Amino acid sequence: MSTKPLPAVSYIKIPESGEPYLEGYQCGACKATFLGTRQVCSKCGARDQMATKRLPNSGKLYSYSIVHRSFPGIAVPYISAIVDLDDGTAIKGNLIDIEPDPEKIAFDMPVDVVFADALGRKDREGNSYISYFFKPKSA
Amino acid sequence: MSDAYVVGVDMIKFGRFPDRTVPQIGAQAALMALDDCGLTIKDMEALYCGNLGQAAGMVGQRILQEIGQTGIPVINVSNACATGATAFREGWAAVKAGLYDLVLCVGVEQMGKGLLGGAGGGSGISREGLLGSGTMPSVFAEAGLEHSRKYGTTFAQFAKVSVKNHHHSTLNPKAMYQIETPLEVVMNAEMISYPNTKLMCSVNVDGSAAAIIASEKKARELGLMKRAVKVRASVLTSDPWQERDLVMPDVNSCTRLAAKKAYEMAGLGADDIDLVELHDCFATAEILHYENLGLCGPGEAGRMIDTGEVALGGRIPVNVSGGLLSKGHPLGATGIANIYEVATHLRGEGGKRQVEGARIGMTHVIGLGSACGIHILEKA
Ligand SMILES: [Zn+2]
């Protein structure tokens, strides 16, 4: 078992000191960004042009759904959100700290990316995980 | 190249058949399609079989064990919700290429109950409900709200799709359900993933459908042209790169690409189409596809459902079978069941739901991942 929490997905980076952050891969030829490694750009086909890129910690809500029924053991309702980060990278996650009510949720509302424990979820070895969440920017 | 014709086609009434095997369910539609044109398995030169749930299980060969092991080549196909359409298209391509004069295409599925999809593991913990939702109702809710953000499409407009398709299914004895669902019933049904309520999600059912494709020469030789349906276009696409690909399965661009290619292949435009069976896996999806298929301009889909242009009797009836929302959605069978529906109208055999004077129809399916299949059919 790891003494420190692990990243919930490969594109969360947890430095020895300092705050966790999101890391993408950017194609040097066409500037498309990807979450997770790849060799060849699926937008333009360029090979060996990928470089890591630290992704911004804020963005805007692009689209969402309010999930009322999920798999057994998953707490509902929650908001599944598609967010465009400030550099244009699209990312999906839970939108928190807002009522799951379409009246309260606005397209393009500014959000911050925050890092926290992965809702208490642990793997079989008992490791805990760090995940990211979207939080409305305080006015 | 010779033209290819659907000479026999049928589907079973969709339902739940837990006591039967997948090959048994598939065999039933295969025999019905053979009977539809008075041929036997001995006349078939190849079998194209679509199934997802037992993709590694040689379902086509096991169907032949139920209806006649003649030694013909069997091609088992799996391509998400485009599985049936892909099997049909492979059969069509072989006939077009002159490889065979008569082929049998079968789509079959036996479904469990419950939610489809879900964010996979990978690391040691489940991501569902942690990094948003990977359930199909959510994925299509998010695609629907993308339309809302662009054009102001409302929850009620999405819900009207279900009202329409459930109404259509009351006229289709082969649909899983024949129940009217007024707007308030649809909107007040259990919310699965806003804006999709339970009545706005396709029904998980078991089912099968089958089609026999013939070369023109063979169709004429056998005297089958009277009820034959010509395949004017057959197109399959995968999803071209889109900027939100990674987090938002894109049902739009591969449909748009397929529609463009299909109209080109047929030498037709959207105005020439008399009816459409499209992939209403969720009510939100149907709205998107009015525009994706060119049935209306950008941003006009809401009007299409408000004015009844897409209802039976309207300008361009969509999903008069009841659609996946009410007829049911046995994944591997859906693509061929759509072809059955359109062919039935072109033959003038649609009974109470007949689209009057239908000469040309379109079928559309999309499987996430993604694969889009479109066929344009014409009365021979
Ligand atoms: Zn590139």
Side-chain angles (χ1 to χ4, degrees), chain A residues 10-50:
Chain A
S10 66
Y11 50 91
I12 296 174
K13 298 296 164 189
I14 309 174
E16 281 298 315
S17 57
E19 289 298 297
Y21 61 94
L22 297 171
E23 185 178 79
Y25 282 77
Q26 187 168 47
C27 171
C30 75
K31 305 295 175 201
T33 37
F34 300 89
L35 303 170
T37 58
R38 62 181 72 196
Q39 295 297 314
V40 177
C41 174
S42 65
K43 181 183 183 187
C44 75
R47 299 189 191 187
D48 302 322
Q49 294 280 320
M50 289 291 165

Tab-separated table of all heavy atoms in Angstrom, chain A residues 10-50:
chain	number	residue	atom	x	y	z
A	10	SER	N	-4.393	9.101	-14.893
A	10	SER	CA	-2.973	9.324	-15.198
A	10	SER	C	-2.652	10.790	-15.433
A	10	SER	O	-1.518	11.212	-15.271
A	10	SER	CB	-2.578	8.516	-16.429
A	10	SER	OG	-3.272	9.009	-17.565
A	11	TYR	N	-3.654	11.590	-15.813
A	11	TYR	CA	-3.357	12.983	-16.131
A	11	TYR	C	-3.457	13.922	-14.927
A	11	TYR	O	-3.374	15.127	-15.061
A	11	TYR	CB	-4.200	13.479	-17.312
A	11	TYR	CG	-5.690	13.226	-17.226
A	11	TYR	CD1	-6.532	14.168	-16.667
A	11	TYR	CD2	-6.244	12.042	-17.722
A	11	TYR	CE1	-7.898	13.943	-16.585
A	11	TYR	CE2	-7.595	11.806	-17.645
A	11	TYR	CZ	-8.426	12.762	-17.081
A	11	TYR	OH	-9.769	12.534	-16.999
A	12	ILE	N	-3.641	13.349	-13.737
A	12	ILE	CA	-3.470	14.146	-12.506
A	12	ILE	C	-2.031	13.934	-12.041
A	12	ILE	O	-1.584	12.797	-11.886
A	12	ILE	CB	-4.435	13.679	-11.398
A	12	ILE	CG1	-5.882	13.912	-11.819
A	12	ILE	CG2	-4.128	14.395	-10.076
A	12	ILE	CD1	-6.897	13.337	-10.833
A	13	LYS	N	-1.288	15.011	-11.839
A	13	LYS	CA	0.091	14.904	-11.358
A	13	LYS	C	0.148	15.411	-9.929
A	13	LYS	O	-0.427	16.467	-9.611
A	13	LYS	CB	1.041	15.727	-12.243
A	13	LYS	CG	1.069	15.253	-13.691
A	13	LYS	CD	1.614	13.831	-13.807
A	13	LYS	CE	1.280	13.238	-15.160
A	13	LYS	NZ	1.593	11.802	-15.256
A	14	ILE	N	0.811	14.640	-9.076
A	14	ILE	CA	0.941	15.041	-7.676
A	14	ILE	C	2.429	15.236	-7.373
A	14	ILE	O	3.151	14.262	-7.171
A	14	ILE	CB	0.324	13.981	-6.738
A	14	ILE	CG1	-1.111	13.643	-7.201
A	14	ILE	CG2	0.327	14.473	-5.295
A	14	ILE	CD1	-1.765	12.503	-6.440
A	15	PRO	N	2.898	16.491	-7.377
A	15	PRO	CA	4.315	16.726	-7.125
A	15	PRO	C	4.688	16.434	-5.663
A	15	PRO	O	3.817	16.382	-4.799
A	15	PRO	CB	4.499	18.221	-7.438
A	15	PRO	CG	3.155	18.783	-7.692
A	15	PRO	CD	2.131	17.725	-7.542
A	16	GLU	N	5.994	16.241	-5.420
A	16	GLU	CA	6.486	15.990	-4.063
A	16	GLU	C	6.054	17.108	-3.123
A	16	GLU	O	5.627	16.881	-2.010
A	16	GLU	CB	8.026	15.888	-4.078
A	16	GLU	CG	8.534	14.539	-4.576
A	16	GLU	CD	8.084	13.384	-3.672
A	16	GLU	OE1	8.175	13.530	-2.446
A	16	GLU	OE2	7.631	12.348	-4.220
A	17	SER	N	6.218	18.324	-3.612
A	17	SER	CA	5.712	19.443	-2.825
A	17	SER	C	4.885	20.325	-3.762
A	17	SER	O	5.160	20.383	-4.961
A	17	SER	CB	6.875	20.245	-2.246
A	17	SER	OG	7.715	20.677	-3.297
A	18	GLY	N	3.904	20.970	-3.222
A	18	GLY	CA	3.047	21.813	-4.062
A	18	GLY	C	1.741	21.132	-4.397
A	18	GLY	O	1.506	19.971	-4.043
A	19	GLU	N	0.907	21.857	-5.074
A	19	GLU	CA	-0.454	21.414	-5.367
A	19	GLU	C	-0.501	20.452	-6.555
A	19	GLU	O	0.294	20.570	-7.483
A	19	GLU	CB	-1.310	22.634	-5.694
A	19	GLU	CG	-1.621	23.532	-4.512
A	19	GLU	CD	-2.431	22.791	-3.450
A	19	GLU	OE1	-3.559	22.386	-3.776
A	19	GLU	OE2	-1.927	22.600	-2.316
A	20	PRO	N	-1.461	19.523	-6.530
A	20	PRO	CA	-1.659	18.677	-7.717
A	20	PRO	C	-2.088	19.524	-8.916
A	20	PRO	O	-2.614	20.626	-8.736
A	20	PRO	CB	-2.799	17.740	-7.308
A	20	PRO	CG	-2.903	17.836	-5.833
A	20	PRO	CD	-2.406	19.203	-5.448
A	21	TYR	N	-1.857	19.004	-10.089
A	21	TYR	CA	-2.294	19.728	-11.283
A	21	TYR	C	-2.634	18.721	-12.390
A	21	TYR	O	-2.338	17.523	-12.275
A	21	TYR	CB	-1.224	20.713	-11.751
A	21	TYR	CG	0.101	20.086	-12.133
A	21	TYR	CD1	0.375	19.739	-13.457
A	21	TYR	CD2	1.068	19.822	-11.173
A	21	TYR	CE1	1.578	19.155	-13.809
A	21	TYR	CE2	2.292	19.235	-11.516
A	21	TYR	CZ	2.536	18.904	-12.837
A	21	TYR	OH	3.727	18.313	-13.170
A	22	LEU	N	-3.280	19.227	-13.438
A	22	LEU	CA	-3.631	18.389	-14.585
A	22	LEU	C	-2.550	18.529	-15.648
A	22	LEU	O	-2.055	19.627	-15.896
A	22	LEU	CB	-4.967	18.829	-15.189
A	22	LEU	CG	-6.189	18.708	-14.285
A	22	LEU	CD1	-7.393	19.396	-14.933
A	22	LEU	CD2	-6.516	17.238	-14.007
A	23	GLU	N	-2.195	17.399	-16.260
A	23	GLU	CA	-1.190	17.449	-17.304
A	23	GLU	C	-1.744	16.831	-18.581
A	23	GLU	O	-2.259	15.715	-18.574
A	23	GLU	CB	0.057	16.678	-16.869
A	23	GLU	CG	1.195	16.794	-17.869
A	23	GLU	CD	2.428	16.044	-17.378
A	23	GLU	OE1	2.467	14.805	-17.515
A	23	GLU	OE2	3.338	16.700	-16.863
A	24	GLY	N	-1.656	17.571	-19.665
A	24	GLY	CA	-2.094	17.061	-20.956
A	24	GLY	C	-0.907	16.846	-21.865
A	24	GLY	O	0.247	17.088	-21.488
A	25	TYR	N	-1.203	16.352	-23.049
A	25	TYR	CA	-0.180	16.210	-24.084
A	25	TYR	C	-0.597	17.097	-25.247
A	25	TYR	O	-1.752	17.064	-25.663
A	25	TYR	CB	-0.054	14.754	-24.530
A	25	TYR	CG	0.716	13.936	-23.541
A	25	TYR	CD1	0.119	13.508	-22.358
A	25	TYR	CD2	2.055	13.631	-23.764
A	25	TYR	CE1	0.826	12.781	-21.424
A	25	TYR	CE2	2.762	12.901	-22.830
A	25	TYR	CZ	2.157	12.479	-21.665
A	25	TYR	OH	2.866	11.770	-20.753
A	26	GLN	N	0.330	17.863	-25.744
A	26	GLN	CA	-0.011	18.760	-26.837
A	26	GLN	C	0.796	18.413	-28.079
A	26	GLN	O	2.004	18.153	-27.997
A	26	GLN	CB	0.239	20.214	-26.445
A	26	GLN	CG	-0.265	21.184	-27.513
A	26	GLN	CD	-0.293	22.619	-27.029
A	26	GLN	OE1	0.676	23.093	-26.442
A	26	GLN	NE2	-1.395	23.300	-27.269
A	27	CYS	N	0.107	18.421	-29.213
A	27	CYS	CA	0.771	18.172	-30.495
A	27	CYS	C	1.504	19.450	-30.922
A	27	CYS	O	0.890	20.514	-31.017
A	27	CYS	CB	-0.267	17.773	-31.542
A	27	CYS	SG	0.404	17.700	-33.209
A	28	GLY	N	2.787	19.318	-31.183
A	28	GLY	CA	3.581	20.477	-31.590
A	28	GLY	C	3.208	20.973	-32.981
A	28	GLY	O	3.428	22.138	-33.312
A	29	ALA	N	2.615	20.107	-33.777
A	29	ALA	CA	2.280	20.490	-35.149
A	29	ALA	C	0.971	21.264	-35.221
A	29	ALA	O	0.890	22.296	-35.871
A	29	ALA	CB	2.214	19.254	-36.038
A	30	CYS	N	-0.086	20.762	-34.556
A	30	CYS	CA	-1.397	21.412	-34.705
A	30	CYS	C	-1.934	21.974	-33.396
A	30	CYS	O	-3.007	22.580	-33.388
A	30	CYS	CB	-2.406	20.448	-35.321
A	30	CYS	SG	-3.005	19.199	-34.170
A	31	LYS	N	-1.216	21.750	-32.294
A	31	LYS	CA	-1.559	22.304	-30.970
A	31	LYS	C	-2.784	21.659	-30.316
A	31	LYS	O	-3.274	22.151	-29.294
A	31	LYS	CB	-1.778	23.837	-31.036
A	31	LYS	CG	-0.607	24.623	-31.624
A	31	LYS	CD	0.622	24.525	-30.758
A	31	LYS	CE	1.824	25.219	-31.413
A	31	LYS	NZ	3.095	24.726	-30.867
A	32	ALA	N	-3.303	20.579	-30.883
A	32	ALA	CA	-4.408	19.874	-30.221
A	32	ALA	C	-3.900	19.310	-28.898
A	32	ALA	O	-2.768	18.843	-28.816
A	32	ALA	CB	-4.920	18.744	-31.110
A	33	THR	N	-4.748	19.352	-27.847
A	33	THR	CA	-4.334	18.765	-26.569
A	33	THR	C	-5.094	17.487	-26.281
A	33	THR	O	-6.261	17.335	-26.657
A	33	THR	CB	-4.541	19.737	-25.379
A	33	THR	OG1	-5.726	20.474	-25.588
A	33	THR	CG2	-3.372	20.640	-25.186
A	34	PHE	N	-4.423	16.589	-25.601
A	34	PHE	CA	-4.996	15.285	-25.271
A	34	PHE	C	-4.786	15.001	-23.796
A	34	PHE	O	-3.834	15.486	-23.198
A	34	PHE	CB	-4.317	14.193	-26.111
A	34	PHE	CG	-4.486	14.407	-27.588
A	34	PHE	CD1	-3.566	15.170	-28.308
A	34	PHE	CD2	-5.575	13.883	-28.250
A	34	PHE	CE1	-3.729	15.386	-29.664
A	34	PHE	CE2	-5.742	14.094	-29.625
A	34	PHE	CZ	-4.821	14.844	-30.328
A	35	LEU	N	-5.688	14.215	-23.232
A	35	LEU	CA	-5.511	13.758	-21.856
A	35	LEU	C	-4.953	12.346	-21.943
A	35	LEU	O	-5.572	11.477	-22.530
A	35	LEU	CB	-6.845	13.769	-21.115
A	35	LEU	CG	-7.563	15.131	-21.088
A	35	LEU	CD1	-8.981	14.988	-20.554
A	35	LEU	CD2	-6.779	16.132	-20.235
A	36	GLY	N	-3.788	12.111	-21.397
A	36	GLY	CA	-3.175	10.790	-21.507
A	36	GLY	C	-2.205	10.761	-22.679
A	36	GLY	O	-2.329	11.532	-23.631
A	37	THR	N	-1.244	9.818	-22.587
A	37	THR	CA	-0.166	9.791	-23.586
A	37	THR	C	-0.636	9.242	-24.925
A	37	THR	O	-1.586	8.470	-24.991
A	37	THR	CB	0.975	8.852	-23.127
A	37	THR	OG1	0.415	7.569	-22.918
A	37	THR	CG2	1.638	9.352	-21.891
A	38	ARG	N	-0.003	9.688	-25.963
A	38	ARG	CA	-0.124	9.045	-27.271
A	38	ARG	C	1.074	9.442	-28.120
A	38	ARG	O	1.715	10.462	-27.870
A	38	ARG	CB	-1.453	9.353	-27.948
A	38	ARG	CG	-1.692	10.818	-28.259
A	38	ARG	CD	-3.052	10.997	-28.900
A	38	ARG	NE	-4.128	10.808	-27.941
A	38	ARG	CZ	-5.393	10.597	-28.294
A	38	ARG	NH1	-5.729	10.499	-29.548
A	38	ARG	NH2	-6.324	10.466	-27.378
A	39	GLN	N	1.370	8.622	-29.109
A	39	GLN	CA	2.540	8.840	-29.956
A	39	GLN	C	2.207	9.715	-31.164
A	39	GLN	O	2.967	10.568	-31.558
A	39	GLN	CB	3.094	7.499	-30.468
A	39	GLN	CG	3.634	6.592	-29.386
A	39	GLN	CD	4.832	7.212	-28.676
A	39	GLN	OE1	5.741	7.728	-29.299
A	39	GLN	NE2	4.805	7.178	-27.348
A	40	VAL	N	1.029	9.419	-31.739
A	40	VAL	CA	0.648	10.090	-32.984
A	40	VAL	C	-0.579	10.956	-32.713
A	40	VAL	O	-1.492	10.541	-31.999
A	40	VAL	CB	0.339	9.038	-34.077
A	40	VAL	CG1	-0.123	9.715	-35.358
A	40	VAL	CG2	1.564	8.168	-34.338
A	41	CYS	N	-0.603	12.128	-33.283
A	41	CYS	CA	-1.732	13.036	-33.073
A	41	CYS	C	-2.942	12.540	-33.865
A	41	CYS	O	-2.854	12.343	-35.075
A	41	CYS	CB	-1.358	14.446	-33.521
A	41	CYS	SG	-2.748	15.590	-33.453
A	42	SER	N	-4.080	12.368	-33.180
A	42	SER	CA	-5.256	11.852	-33.891
A	42	SER	C	-5.971	12.963	-34.652
A	42	SER	O	-6.874	12.693	-35.430
A	42	SER	CB	-6.210	11.156	-32.927
A	42	SER	OG	-6.740	12.073	-32.004
A	43	LYS	N	-5.563	14.208	-34.444
A	43	LYS	CA	-6.157	15.281	-35.238
A	43	LYS	C	-5.427	15.418	-36.571
A	43	LYS	O	-6.046	15.421	-37.629
A	43	LYS	CB	-6.103	16.608	-34.474
A	43	LYS	CG	-6.740	17.751	-35.259
A	43	LYS	CD	-6.630	19.082	-34.539
A	43	LYS	CE	-7.353	20.177	-35.320
A	43	LYS	NZ	-7.135	21.503	-34.749
A	44	CYS	N	-4.088	15.524	-36.528
A	44	CYS	CA	-3.368	15.839	-37.769
A	44	CYS	C	-2.457	14.707	-38.229
A	44	CYS	O	-1.898	14.776	-39.319
A	44	CYS	CB	-2.569	17.129	-37.604
A	44	CYS	SG	-1.079	16.941	-36.617
A	45	GLY	N	-2.285	13.674	-37.413
A	45	GLY	CA	-1.479	12.530	-37.834
A	45	GLY	C	0.020	12.703	-37.633
A	45	GLY	O	0.790	11.800	-37.964
A	46	ALA	N	0.443	13.857	-37.076
A	46	ALA	CA	1.883	14.076	-36.871
A	46	ALA	C	2.447	13.047	-35.883
A	46	ALA	O	1.798	12.694	-34.905
A	46	ALA	CB	2.125	15.489	-36.352
A	47	ARG	N	3.673	12.568	-36.164
A	47	ARG	CA	4.312	11.601	-35.275
A	47	ARG	C	5.355	12.288	-34.393
A	47	ARG	O	6.026	13.214	-34.832
A	47	ARG	CB	5.040	10.530	-36.086
A	47	ARG	CG	4.118	9.739	-36.974
A	47	ARG	CD	4.896	8.571	-37.549
A	47	ARG	NE	4.135	7.925	-38.616
A	47	ARG	CZ	4.516	6.801	-39.186
A	47	ARG	NH1	5.644	6.222	-38.829
A	47	ARG	NH2	3.770	6.263	-40.140
A	48	ASP	N	5.486	11.770	-33.186
A	48	ASP	CA	6.561	12.193	-32.279
A	48	ASP	C	6.615	13.701	-32.075
A	48	ASP	O	7.677	14.295	-32.000
A	48	ASP	CB	7.911	11.680	-32.800
A	48	ASP	CG	7.892	10.170	-32.938
A	48	ASP	OD1	7.288	9.521	-32.062
A	48	ASP	OD2	8.439	9.649	-33.926
A	49	GLN	N	5.456	14.319	-32.013
A	49	GLN	CA	5.397	15.769	-31.788
A	49	GLN	C	4.764	16.081	-30.434
A	49	GLN	O	4.527	17.242	-30.120
A	49	GLN	CB	4.545	16.437	-32.885
A	49	GLN	CG	5.128	16.368	-34.270
A	49	GLN	CD	6.211	17.416	-34.483
A	49	GLN	OE1	6.077	18.555	-34.037
A	49	GLN	NE2	7.290	17.026	-35.123
A	50	MET	N	4.475	15.042	-29.654
A	50	MET	CA	3.740	15.262	-28.410
A	50	MET	C	4.669	15.728	-27.295
A	50	MET	O	5.741	15.169	-27.093
A	50	MET	CB	3.061	13.961	-27.961
A	50	MET	CG	1.897	13.560	-28.833
A	50	MET	SD	0.517	14.684	-28.633
A	50	MET	CE	-0.426	14.215	-30.076
